[in-house]
Each structure stands twice: as structure tokens, then as C-alpha cells.
């Protein structure tokens, strides 16, 4: 983990920034711990801003969250606060705002698009004229479906757009077909193979290689952009529609695979009596929240190894693009219950669903959340995952496992604080972590 600070935000900063020569105290008096905590605040705000933007697209009232964003930015100005406890308190405010923002966004999605229900869709199967949509923006997808209806164009999802298939107001469009590809970082290979047009409507976009042949078929939306791409303005999809119709039919995607999505927490809460009965009868021994943002590299295989090694009386709750590490596995159902062992809550912003389910289960069992048979194992890639972690901390949730790499913006002092106060763990190897986490040990 990084040990030193690096701060160059004011004219008092040392040459090349305070910390650039190993200093652990800035000219203003801010130490490395406070500098790192302020960095974490900014990262959390980036994630918060992403969810706030999507909720705003549906006209949601985000004033209470906007106030936290403004206050926190003010907090990080030079010479505002030098108190460690105040920094932690502000981080908890960001986390609480993140939880509230995810609730607001979830309500905006479900009130406009309906409550998602489980659905099995095709994976890597496509035909005809096709547009591939990558990102998180469901409002954009709705408008695209409206404008392409009846035009002989099929719409396919990629990465975090997968949960779109669960929403009734999106699913009612017959030309919303299946999913293509996996997590965001397969873009350069996948987009080369995809013969139709492509729209990337939010992060994460991967800059095309200099040898890429798909750039002339790639469109970006709203704040997303690359130097070579075409920008969709004012929800006018006429150019991408025309180009899609002019291109040959999509070929090369003939898989018979399927994926399941649509287990929104509002739908899962409808199963609460059956879940409660299964827990009380010992048919469900434990819930594992295995979720988060995925990153390229072999480290993410940890989450697949963990998921596939869990006993059949364990239920997996997931969200975000990290699920693509293991969502091709058929986990079946809990014995004699019909309850799926794999529940895809949705996009990363739907991570609040796991909290709602846990709170409902705790209330029904008459225990606290900390007494529930729930283990949380998260993968992190970027700032929205940082916000989700802060949100969990703000709720007082402890014993979280985080990986596959330690965050470099946390120094040893801050990590020790998180260990002491939240019992935060870094992931080790999947087998040993499963052994530690299982409440019901194998005979």
C-alpha cells in the first residue's frame, strides 16, 4: 500500500507536490493520513456523481445528495480541517449519501421501467441488423428502443446493460434481444468481432487500438467520448439507425448459451416467506454477496473459484460486472424449495438490494444484520465500488472481504483503522477464504 502523500492543490505545495520527496507532512500541516482520506472522499464523490447523473435523467430529486457532494468538495479545500475523526465522519456522510442515492436511483428505475423479474436470455447469439449497447444508462436504452421499433433492427446488451432485460418496460420491446460478451474490458476484441454498430453510453469505455476496424461503427453518448468516435446528440439516433441498416447482418454469434438476470430486491422480497422458511429449516445455511466491479487479469478468477466451491445450501447474491466471472454457471436451486442459488440483483447501483434483503431477513428473524448468516466478498475496480464500500461502512457493516488487489490510495495507518473498526479483510486465495467464511463447516 502507498505510504506517502502527494498533494499539489495550492501554491504552498512543495516543488512537484508535498510528498514527492517522501514528505509525510504538507506545507499546510496536512499529514499523509488526511491527504489519503481526502483522496478517498473525491473517489467516493465520483461514484456518487455517476449514480446522481442517472437518477437525474429520470427527473429524480437529488438535492440531499447534491448537498453532500458540495459540502465534501468544500471539506477538501486547503486549510479547512485537520481532524482525523472529522475526516472519517465526512466519509461516512458520503457513504450514507451513496446508500440514499442508490435507493433514489432504484426507485427512479422501477417507477419508470417497472420492477424487474427473473428472465433467461440468450448469450452471444445474434442475427440480422444489430446495435450493441454497453454501459449503464437505462433511460438512453429506452429511447433507443422507441426509435428503432419496427425498423428491422435488433438491440443487444453488453456488460452492465445486461440487467436491462429484467425491466418490463424495456423487455416489452420484442427487438431487445440477448446479451453479447462479458465485462467491459472485452471491448477491443468483442467490438472487432461485432459487425453491427455500437453505442457506449457510460463508463467504462476502452480506447480503441490504432489497428481497430470498428471505430467508424462506434458511437458515444452524453459525457462518454473518444477522439475518433461519433457522438449522439439530443437523443437523436437517426445516424446510428441509418448506418446499422446499411451494414451487413451480424454473423458469428451462434451460441446456445443463456444467462439469467432480473432478481431485483423488490422481487426477491416477494420470496421472503419462502426464504425465511428455508433458513429456519436449515435448507439455506448462508448467503454470500459476491459482487463488485471487475478488472482485467487473472485476479478476478478468485470470485469464480469462490462461487463454484460454495456448498449447495448457500445462496449467492451478486450485482455489477464482476458477476461475469461466474454467471455462466448453473447453480441450480436450494433443495426442496425452488429458490435459485444465484440471484442477480442488477447493475452496480443495485448493490443496495443486498442491504434491503438483509434488513428484511434480520427483521423477520428478530436479529441484527450482524447476526445474519451473510458474508460479503467484493471486487473493486473504480470509484463506484469505493462508494459502495463507504456505503456499507456507513451502515456499520463489518467483516467485508475486498480484492483482488489492495487499493493503493489507502496507506497502512488507514487500513489498520479499517481493520480495527470494520474488520476489513483483503482477499487471500479462494479456498482458504471460503474455509474461513463458511459458518457450517463441511463434515
Amino acid at each position: 500500500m502507498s505510504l506517502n502523500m502527494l498533494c499539489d492543490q495550492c501554491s504552498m505545495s512543495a516543488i512537484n507536490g508535498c510528498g514527492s520527496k517522501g514528505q509525510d507532512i504538507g506545507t499546510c500541516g496536512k499529514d499523509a493520513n488526511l491527504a489519503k482520506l481526502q483522496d478517498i472522499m473525491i473517489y467516493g464523490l465520483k461514484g456518487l456523481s455517476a449514480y446522481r447523473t442517472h437518477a437525474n435523467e429520470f427527473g429524480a430529486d437529488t438535492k440531499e445528495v447534491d448537498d453532500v457532494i458540495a459540502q465534501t468538495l468544500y471539506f477538501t479545500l486547503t486549510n479547512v480541517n485537520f481532524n482525523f475523526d472529522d475526516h472519517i465522519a465526512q466519509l461516512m456522510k458520503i457513504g450514507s449519501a451513496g446508500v440514499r442515492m442508490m435507493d433514489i436511483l432504484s426507485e427512479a428505475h422501477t417507477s419508470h421501467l417497472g420492477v424487474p423479474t427473473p428472465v433467461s436470455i440468450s448469450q452471444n447469439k445474434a442475427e440480422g441488423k444489430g446495435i450493441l449497447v454497453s454501459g449503464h444508462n437505462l433511460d438512453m436504452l429506452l429511447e433507443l428502443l422507441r426509435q428503432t421499433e419496427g425498423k428491422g433492427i435488433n438491440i443487444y446488451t453488453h456488460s452492465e446493460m445486461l440487467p436491462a432485460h429484467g425491466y418490463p418496460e424495456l423487455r416489452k420491446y420484442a427487438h431487445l434481444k440477448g446479451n453479447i460478451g462479458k465485462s467491459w474490458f472485452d471491448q477491443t476484441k468483442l467490438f472487432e468481432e461485432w459487425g453491427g454498430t455500437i453505442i457506449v453510453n457510460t463508463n467504462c469505455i476502452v480506447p480503441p487500438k490504432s489497428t481497430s476496424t470498428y471505430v467508424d461503427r462506434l458511437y458515444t453518448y452524453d459525457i462518454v467520448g473518444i477522439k475518433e468516435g461519433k457522438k449522439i446528440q439530443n437523443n437523436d439516433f437517426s445516424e446510428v439507425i441509418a448506418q446499422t441498416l446499411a451494414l451487413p447482418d451480424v454473423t458469428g454469434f451462434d451460441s446456445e448459451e443463456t444467462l439469467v438476470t432480473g432478481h431485483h430486491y423488490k422481487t426477491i422480497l416477494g420470496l421472503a416467506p419462502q426464504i425465511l422458511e428455508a433458513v429456519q429449516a436449515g435448507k439455506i445455511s448462508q448467503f454470500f454477496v459476491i459482487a463488485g466491479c471487475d478488472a482485467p487479469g487473472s485476479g478476478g478468477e478468485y470470485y469464480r473459484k469462490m462461487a463454484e466451491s460454495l456448498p449447495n445450501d448457500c445462496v449467492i447474491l451478486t450485482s455489477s460486472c464482476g458477476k461475469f466471472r461466474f454467471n455462466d454457471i448453473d447453480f441450480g436451486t436450494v433443495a426442496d424449495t425452488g429458490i435459485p442459488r444465484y440471484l442477480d440483483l442488477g447493475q452496480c447501483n443495485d448493490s443496495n438490494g443486498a442491504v434491503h434483503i438483509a434488513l428484511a431477513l434480520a427483521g423477520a428473524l428478530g436479529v441484527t444484520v450482524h447476526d445474519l448468516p451473510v458474508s460479503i466478498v467484493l471486487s473493486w475496480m473504480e470509484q463506484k465500488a469505493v462508494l459502495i464500500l463507504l456505503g456499507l461502512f456507513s451502515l456499520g457493516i463489518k467483516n467485508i472481504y475486498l480484492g483482488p488487489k489492495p487499493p493503493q490510495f489507502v496507506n497502512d495507518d488507514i487500513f489498520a483503522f479499517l481493520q480495527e473498526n470494520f474488520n476489513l479483510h483483503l482477499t487471500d486465495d479462494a479456498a482458504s477464504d471460503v474455509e474461513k467464511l463458511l459458518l457450517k463447516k463441511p463434515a
Side-chain angles (χ1 to χ4, degrees):
M1 283 181 247
S2 178
L3 298 177
N4 297 321
M5 67 187 304
L6 179 61
C7 183
D8 58 3
Q9 69 180 27
C10 75
S11 65
M12 295 194 300
S13 300
I15 301 300
N16 296 321
C18 297
S20 61
K21 294 184 179 179
Q23 308 100 314
D24 56 10
I25 299 289
T27 306
C28 71
K30 181 169 62 179
D31 64 26
N33 288 337
L34 301 186
K36 292 293 185 184
L37 290 173
Q38 290 186 13
D39 288 344
I40 297 170
M41 288 181 196
I42 299 302
Y43 298 150
L45 291 190
K46 289 180 180 182
L48 190 56
S49 296
Y51 297 151
R52 187 266 179 202
T53 298
H54 293 314
N56 187 63
E57 289 161 348
F58 284 96
D61 181 1
T62 63
K63 173 67 165 60
E64 59 184 296
V65 171
D66 295 344
D67 287 347
V68 174
I69 293 174
Q71 183 191 61
T72 305
L73 287 172
Y74 189 7
F75 191 102
T76 63
L77 260 73
T78 303
N79 296 336
V80 172
N81 192 298
F82 297 91
N83 183 287
F84 182 89
D85 291 342
D86 288 350
H87 280 67
I88 296 299
Q90 192 65 32
L91 283 167
M92 294 304 99
K93 285 185 182 179
I94 297 169
S96 295
V99 173
R100 180 64 185 131
M101 189 67 255
M102 285 187 277
D103 282 343
I104 293 171
L105 179 53
S106 178
E107 195 60 36
H109 281 160
T110 56
S111 63
H112 286 82
L113 305 175
V115 176
T117 54
V119 59
S120 178
I121 62 167
S122 65
Q123 166 72 354
N124 292 329
K125 186 170 187 176
E127 61 184 1
K129 311 294 184 181
I131 301 176
L132 182 59
V133 183
S134 184
H136 305 73
N137 193 321
L138 299 181
D139 182 58
M140 186 234 85
L141 180 61
L142 177 61
E143 186 57 35
L144 176 66
L145 289 167
R146 287 170 175 163
Q147 293 188 31
T148 52
E149 188 173 23
K151 287 186 166 59
I153 294 174
N154 293 326
I155 308 299
Y156 297 88
T157 59
H158 170 249
S159 193
E160 283 274 66
M161 292 304 293
L162 167 65
H165 296 275
Y167 288 90
E169 288 301 308
L170 299 175
R171 197 165 67 203
K172 73 180 185 182
Y173 289 93
H175 62 300
L176 177 61
K177 297 296 184 179
N179 189 74
I180 305 293
K182 293 193 172 186
S183 191
W184 61 274
F185 52 82
D186 69 5
Q187 287 180 28
T188 52
K189 181 177 184 295
L190 177 67
F191 291 177
E192 284 288 343
E193 297 170 352
W194 179 259
T197 53
I198 305 148
I199 302 174
V200 182
N201 62 34
T202 65
N203 70 312
C204 301
I205 187 168
V206 179
K209 298 177 181 179
S210 59
T211 56
S212 296
T213 63
Y214 61 83
V215 174
D216 67 325
R217 296 179 282 111
L218 178 64
Y219 293 76
T220 61
Y221 182 86
D222 198 28
I223 64 171
V224 184
I226 56 172
K227 179 180 178 181
E228 308 90 341
K230 305 172 186 177
K231 179 77 75 171
I232 294 171
Q233 304 281 0
N234 303 315
N235 273 345
D236 180 1
F237 296 97
S238 56
E239 183 180 357
V240 67
I241 289 172
Q243 184 177 14
T244 305
L245 292 172
L247 289 169
D249 289 0
V250 175
T251 59
F253 293 87
D254 304 306
S255 174
E256 295 302 319
E257 300 171 85
T258 59
L259 293 179
V260 177
T261 190
H263 298 104
H264 192 274
Y265 81 86
K266 292 184 178 181
T267 296
I268 298 305
L269 290 181
L271 292 173
Q274 297 97 301
I275 294 174
L276 180 62
E277 181 181 346
V279 172
Q280 292 173 326
K283 294 177 180 178
I284 295 178
S285 68
Q286 196 167 347
F287 298 86
F288 277 77
V289 180
I290 307 177
C293 303
D294 196 12
S298 59
E301 285 304 298
Y302 166 97
Y303 300 90
R304 182 182 184 89
K305 292 175 182 177
M306 171 168 282
E308 64 186 356
S309 68
L310 294 177
N312 291 334
D313 58 0
C314 292
V315 172
I316 298 167
L317 300 173
T318 191
S319 64
S320 317
C321 63
K323 61 175 166 271
F324 281 101
R325 290 285 182 169
F326 53 85
N327 67 348
D328 59 316
I329 299 171
D330 181 3
F331 290 98
T333 58
V334 178
D336 304 321
T337 67
I339 298 170
R341 291 189 56 237
Y342 169 85
L343 301 173
D344 176 9
L345 301 178
Q347 297 177 325
C348 56
N349 47 270
D350 294 308
S351 299
N352 66 322
V355 174
H356 284 285
I357 293 168
L359 290 173
L361 187 60
L365 292 172
V367 300
T368 70
V369 172
H370 303 295
D371 296 320
L372 288 174
V374 176
S375 296
I376 302 176
V377 186
L378 301 179
S379 62
W380 80 278
M381 158 61 193
E382 43 91 274
Q383 295 84 356
K384 285 178 289 184
V386 174
L387 177 67
I388 291 168
L389 187 62
L390 292 176
L392 293 172
F393 288 158
S394 75
L395 293 169
I397 294 175
K398 301 180 179 181
N399 305 315
I400 297 170
Y401 279 63
L402 181 69
K405 297 177 181 178
Q408 296 186 61
F409 51 79
V410 173
N411 63 18
D412 291 339
D413 286 344
I414 295 172
F415 185 71
F417 173 87
L418 295 174
Q419 281 186 310
E420 180 181 352
N421 290 272
F422 297 101
N423 199 23
L424 178 67
H425 303 266
L426 296 177
T427 55
D428 190 3
D429 67 273
S432 61
D433 284 349
V434 167
E435 185 178 352
K436 285 181 252 182
L437 288 167
L438 280 178
L439 301 176
K440 179 181 173 183
K441 304 301 181 185

